Amino acid sequence: MHHNPFTTMRSLKLAEGCKGTQVYALNPPPPPGGVGDKLLQHLQDHLRVNSIRSKSSRTYHHQSTSSLLPYGLPATDLLEPQIDPSLKFPDLVEKMAEVYRRIDASTNLERSRAFLEQCAVFRGLSDPKLFRRSLRSSRQHAVDVHAKVVLSSWLRFERREDELIGTSSMDCCGRILECPKASLLPGYDPETVYDPCLCPGSGGGSNGVVVNECSTSDEAFEYDMSFCIGDEEVRCVRYKIASLSRPFKAMLYGAFRESKLGTISFTQNGISVEGMRAAEVFSRTKRLDEFPPHVVLELLKLANRFCCYELKSSCDSHLARLVSTLDEAMLLIEYGLEESAYLLVAACLQVFLRELPSSMHNPNVVKIFCSVEGRERLASLGHASFALYFFLSQIAMEDDTKSNTTVMILERLVECAVESWEKQLAYHQLGVVMLERKEYKDAQRAFNTAVEAGHLYSLVGVARTKFKRDHRYSAYKIINSLISDHKAATGWMHQERSLYCSGKEKLLDLDTATELDPTLTFPYKFRAVALVEENQFNAAISELNKVLGFKASPDCLEMRAWVSIGKEDYEGALKNIRALLTLEPNFMMFNGKIHGDHMVELLRPLAHQRSQADCWMQLFDHWSSVDDIGSLAVVHDMLAHDPGNSLLRFRQSLLLLRLNCQKAAMRSLRLARNHSKLKHERLVYEGWILYDTGHREEALAKAEESISIQRSFEVFFLKAYALADSTLDPKSSEYVIQLLEEALRCPSDALRKGQALNNLGSVYVDCDKLDLAADCYTNALNIKHTRAHQGLARVYHQKNQRKAAYDEMTKLIEKAQNNASAYEKRSEYCDREMAQSDLSLATELDPLRTYPYRYRAAVLMDDHKENEAIEELSKAISFKPDLQLLHLRAAFYDSMGGGASAIKDCEAALCIDPGHADTLDLYHKARETSAAADQK
């Protein structure tokens, strides 16, 4: 398997009548005293509780040196998890296999829609790259202009280029896939969509819409008739005008009296003299480019009135090419809808969509998209699709889940839903929004419809709405029946049932939920609050640390901050809130009662005050100890004093990528780019944005442009990183080495120098230059780049010094706060028993790491414990359907004669990566074996 040398861096006692979600109750405080008391009194002023506490509510106290805890803490009887608005399935592997089969069997006309279903399935998974890849495939196979416009605009939105200062919504990225001009060209050509486009914005010569270039001089024709409009005559060539349409031909050559006249009155036909002259010119030249827009609009009306299809098509295309701003789109879309101009409406929609999310705050745009009449007008021209409203619904729900606009968008989505998966998604999302709005009857109705369409996860919504309406036992029965009906119940089923039971049964369900799906955050939060209710603050922090060790979850960071305040650890609370605000800058804490930024201002006087120089030292320490959350908090503190520091924003993005928070990382990269005052720096940040969203070649082009302006550490690092993201031959490896050496010659700080040395060492190991690699790692360790211990261990292992490699990884484990990967790597340098121990620890610290499951399954298979091996892999696949896990389980099934199961796992794996060669080979083999067995 190819080793990317740079991956290390980038990488119920519920109160009766309670109606709120995630409500935290507060107890009234005693009179304030010292500084801490004043802070907490200030908090209390902001956190007035509107919910009714149950009779069993208790008052929790924490003895401090000054006074009792003067404010309330979250209560277990008012905690509940949010319902995921995405599609979820009891058997995700089966669903992925089904989607793969559908894509594989689809015709050219069906394939784009099949990939859109894959988008909906992947939307609920944690890896945004899978969703973006499916979206690209859906656009690649789009047939009609409408689909191309919607999907190319959606791809652009996923990069949030609207946040890049100095860019226009209609700027071309350089590829046909997202080119706004290319989107307006009809036709199916999936092989060329990744080619460079030829529109003017990309330096090509075509304007994106083909026009007839033929032109004929006036002298070539004899004017033999005139149209009289008012007091003026427009001389024409009779047969040329007749060629415009059948009605004109009938008028001029048929049985009508106009066929005998040399001058025909045309005053009552709604066209000006200027418009008629333009029609005459078009009849001879088939060109419109010399006429102003208002004249072309006249021609469009004339074309509709007299069925001039070629003229209408030309006017439609011409006007579509003119639309480039929101004001133009707002003006022209009315003409387009009135005159049934398909391309013109498509061009206007494209501007609206490429201006998102800001355009959704324009009331005229909202009226077009959200009203019943607006959707019907769009539908009459083939511009109201499920894809369009799917896209809009994602933006609306992200902007404001409870808004009327969101509800109207989802109602239009429901109206566009035809296939079962579309109905499942539309009604489920509508149910989630209605639940948030506390419109429980409407929410229950929507959830029930989603269930009827086949979406069993919506039963969670049905149960929750019943519970909100005081039908707790009914809610319990729904989820209990769901669990009983599924032999392999999921974590979310047990999590939901826990809301409707109490005591040991509740805790057992929550423990089972964590065992089945350790990525669910609610069980950790509940257990933490339960510990706080017993005054076990440190144990509560430890419980939250379990999930925060592998998942940077905003809600868990908020909870840990709350508990930290409860134990008067204001430094710890501030650290968590700063990290939280890095992930979600507008986060409203304590059930939306107070903005996180205000909490920082309240807590800052109680924490240690640091200068910018102190912060740099602290950042260095956190970075060296592999404390990414701590590093985020320090960078947030530094940016508060220097918000325009693009270098810090870039550091922030690197940390966020390491924490697998890609959305937040992209936001930081965009801010770095916007704040940079130097063009060569902006190009580097633009390159990273492109690379991290799957545009490797474009990223390399940005790097080259930056180098042409100024050589810098970051541009050489970017270029080396992007080039190393493929299988390197010796020549390519040498080039990457040269680039990293160039980077190290340029000025930078120790944090980045250490990373470059580490990456350089990795390439040296791949080239079998072990001594040079060891030098790089040693130099990196000398400037406290702790992760270099792992590279040095690899060098020792390559030299057959296994004990030294083990010891080196032990040093990393001792230094790193986040050390699950270190335990995993150390397992490669010891015997089986010790390896099993290390891998058990790795899984405990980070259950999302897949290698330990694969290793244990392989050991079980070697010991002829086939069922246990399958069970080990299934444990991880149930919450992380990873390609390697699915491939290995398919191979195991195949070796055990389980052909059907092997085929299903292969199909699910190919849904993730349709080009995975090993899985394709296994899939074909399993199908051939199954077919042969059926023939016997």
Side-chain angles (χ1 to χ4, degrees), residues 180-200:
K181 301 285 187 184
S183 295
L184 296 176
L185 292 173
Y188 179 70
D189 191 4
E191 305 306 319
T192 64
V193 293
Y194 293 104
D195 293 347
C197 65
L198 298 175
C199 72

Side-chain angles (χ1 to χ4, degrees), residues 341-594:
Y342 178 82
L343 285 179
L344 177 56
V345 173
C348 295
L349 282 181
Q350 180 164 247
V351 172
F352 297 157
L353 296 177
R354 292 174 75 93
E355 289 279 357
L356 288 169
S358 62
S359 60
M360 281 299 287
H361 297 286
N362 182 311
N364 294 319
V365 174
V366 170
K367 183 179 178 181
I368 290 169
F369 283 140
C370 298
S371 67
V372 174
E373 180 194 5
R375 190 199 72 83
E376 288 175 349
R377 293 181 75 194
L378 292 173
S380 68
L381 281 181
H383 283 301
S385 65
F386 186 84
L388 170 64
Y389 285 99
F390 184 10
F391 177 22
L392 293 174
S393 71
Q394 304 309 293
I395 294 168
M397 293 178 73
E398 186 176 314
D399 183 57
D400 185 355
T401 305
K402 301 178 184 179
S403 73
N404 290 335
T405 298
T406 301
V407 173
M408 289 189 289
I409 288 288
L410 288 171
E411 287 172 344
R412 305 293 81 77
L413 182 69
V414 163
E415 291 165 1
C416 292
V418 176
E419 299 183 29
S420 60
W421 74 267
E422 294 173 342
K423 293 176 182 177
Q424 291 172 26
L425 180 64
Y427 281 107
H428 179 71
Q429 288 188 154
L430 184 59
V432 169
V433 168
M434 290 304 187
L435 181 64
E436 286 288 315
R437 288 163 61 98
K438 297 181 170 57
E439 298 178 27
Y440 299 128
K441 287 186 178 179
D442 289 338
Q444 184 175 330
R445 192 177 302 114
F447 283 130
N448 270 321
T449 309
V451 172
E452 289 167 7
H455 190 232
L456 291 180
Y457 176 64
S458 292
L459 284 170
V460 168
V462 176
R464 195 78 64 90
T465 53
K466 285 181 176 290
F467 175 70
K468 293 294 185 182
R469 297 167 65 200
D470 298 327
H471 302 304
R472 175 174 165 178
Y473 182 61
S474 178
Y476 177 88
K477 285 200 300 182
I478 289 170
I479 304 302
N480 192 55
S481 176
L482 180 63
I483 292 172
S484 300
D485 290 344
H486 288 83
K487 183 179 179 182
T490 63
W492 54 260
M493 294 179 187
H494 285 277
Q495 173 179 271
E496 188 65 22
R497 191 173 68 177
S498 75
L499 294 180
Y500 315 128
C501 52
S502 57
K504 291 183 179 179
E505 189 179 352
K506 172 189 280 287
L507 293 175
L508 181 61
D509 260 337
L510 289 170
D511 289 343
T512 303
T514 299
E515 182 182 346
L516 292 173
D517 186 353
T519 66
L520 296 172
T521 60
F522 173 74
Y524 299 95
K525 290 165 60 180
F526 184 93
R527 288 188 290 263
V529 173
L531 289 164
V532 168
E533 290 177 352
E534 303 299 327
N535 287 336
Q536 298 182 49
F537 287 84
N538 290 331
I541 294 286
S542 297
E543 181 65 27
L544 293 169
N545 287 347
K546 291 177 185 176
V547 64
L548 287 169
F550 65 89
K551 184 177 182 180
S553 165
D555 57 333
C556 288
L557 285 168
E558 178 198 20
M559 182 71 75
R560 194 165 69 175
W562 197 322
V563 177
S564 296
I565 295 172
K567 65 194 289 276
E568 298 183 355
D569 175 13
Y570 305 127
E571 195 81 45
L574 194 55
K575 169 184 169 180
N576 283 291
I577 295 171
R578 288 191 184 282
L580 164 60
L581 289 172
T582 304
L583 297 173
E584 295 190 19
N586 296 316
F587 196 92
M588 299 293 291
M589 298 186 65
F590 311 143
N591 197 41
K593 301 292 184 182
I594 184 170

Side-chain angles (χ1 to χ4, degrees), residues 16 343 375 502 575 594 739 800 840-841 913:
E16 296 298 318
L343 285 179
R375 190 199 72 83
S502 57
K575 169 184 169 180
I594 184 170
L739 290 169
N800 295 317
S840 293
L841 270 170
D913 181 0

Side-chain angles (χ1 to χ4, degrees), residues 571-621:
E571 195 81 45
L574 194 55
K575 169 184 169 180
N576 283 291
I577 295 171
R578 288 191 184 282
L580 164 60
L581 289 172
T582 304
L583 297 173
E584 295 190 19
N586 296 316
F587 196 92
M588 299 293 291
M589 298 186 65
F590 311 143
N591 197 41
K593 301 292 184 182
I594 184 170
H595 197 288
D597 281 334
H598 190 56
M599 278 300 304
V600 169
E601 292 307 309
L602 294 175
L603 285 165
R604 203 155 51 87
L606 304 178
H608 182 66
Q609 303 298 304
R610 294 180 178 86
S611 67
Q612 202 76 338
D614 292 334
C615 285
W616 272 110
M617 292 300 295
Q618 193 182 25
L619 176 59
F620 195 80
D621 290 341

Side-chain angles (χ1 to χ4, degrees), residues 216-419:
T216 310
S217 65
D218 291 351
E219 291 75 11
F221 300 100
E222 181 180 344
Y223 294 99
D224 54 358
M225 64 160 291
S226 298
F227 285 104
C228 182
I229 300 173
D231 296 330
E232 296 191 53
E233 289 189 8
V234 179
R235 296 176 65 218
C236 299
V237 179
R238 184 180 293 267
Y239 82 88
K240 284 292 182 182
I241 295 295
S243 70
L244 290 176
S245 71
R246 285 188 172 185
F248 270 123
K249 184 177 181 181
M251 184 198 332
L252 298 175
Y253 286 102
F256 297 97
R257 69 184 183 90
E258 285 85 354
S259 64
K260 310 295 184 185
L261 299 176
T263 301
I264 299 171
S265 176
F266 221 60
T267 304
Q268 304 302 317
N269 284 286
I271 189 165
S272 67
V273 173
E274 188 180 14
M276 198 62 217
R277 286 188 177 130
E280 187 279 323
V281 171
F282 180 84
S283 74
R284 292 182 290 104
T285 67
K286 308 304 181 187
R287 306 225 11 208
L288 297 169
D289 40 342
E290 62 185 80
F291 306 117
H294 72 275
V295 172
V296 181
L297 285 169
E298 275 197 74
L299 290 178
L300 180 61
K301 290 182 179 180
L302 179 74
N304 272 327
R305 177 168 292 188
F306 288 91
C307 304
C308 306
Y309 301 122
E310 183 183 15
L311 176 59
K312 178 177 180 178
S313 177
S314 295
C315 291
D316 195 6
S317 296
H318 181 84
L319 290 168
R321 295 199 301 276
L322 301 179
V323 185
S324 60
T325 68
L326 194 59
D327 289 341
E328 291 168 349
M330 285 307 314
L331 176 66
L332 289 171
I333 194 168
E334 287 302 321
Y335 287 103
L337 290 169
E338 188 69 28
E339 301 299 331
S340 301
Y342 178 82
L343 285 179
L344 177 56
V345 173
C348 295
L349 282 181
Q350 180 164 247
V351 172
F352 297 157
L353 296 177
R354 292 174 75 93
E355 289 279 357
L356 288 169
S358 62
S359 60
M360 281 299 287
H361 297 286
N362 182 311
N364 294 319
V365 174
V366 170
K367 183 179 178 181
I368 290 169
F369 283 140
C370 298
S371 67
V372 174
E373 180 194 5
R375 190 199 72 83
E376 288 175 349
R377 293 181 75 194
L378 292 173
S380 68
L381 281 181
H383 283 301
S385 65
F386 186 84
L388 170 64
Y389 285 99
F390 184 10
F391 177 22
L392 293 174
S393 71
Q394 304 309 293
I395 294 168
M397 293 178 73
E398 186 176 314
D399 183 57
D400 185 355
T401 305
K402 301 178 184 179
S403 73
N404 290 335
T405 298
T406 301
V407 173
M408 289 189 289
I409 288 288
L410 288 171
E411 287 172 344
R412 305 293 81 77
L413 182 69
V414 163
E415 291 165 1
C416 292
V418 176
E419 299 183 29

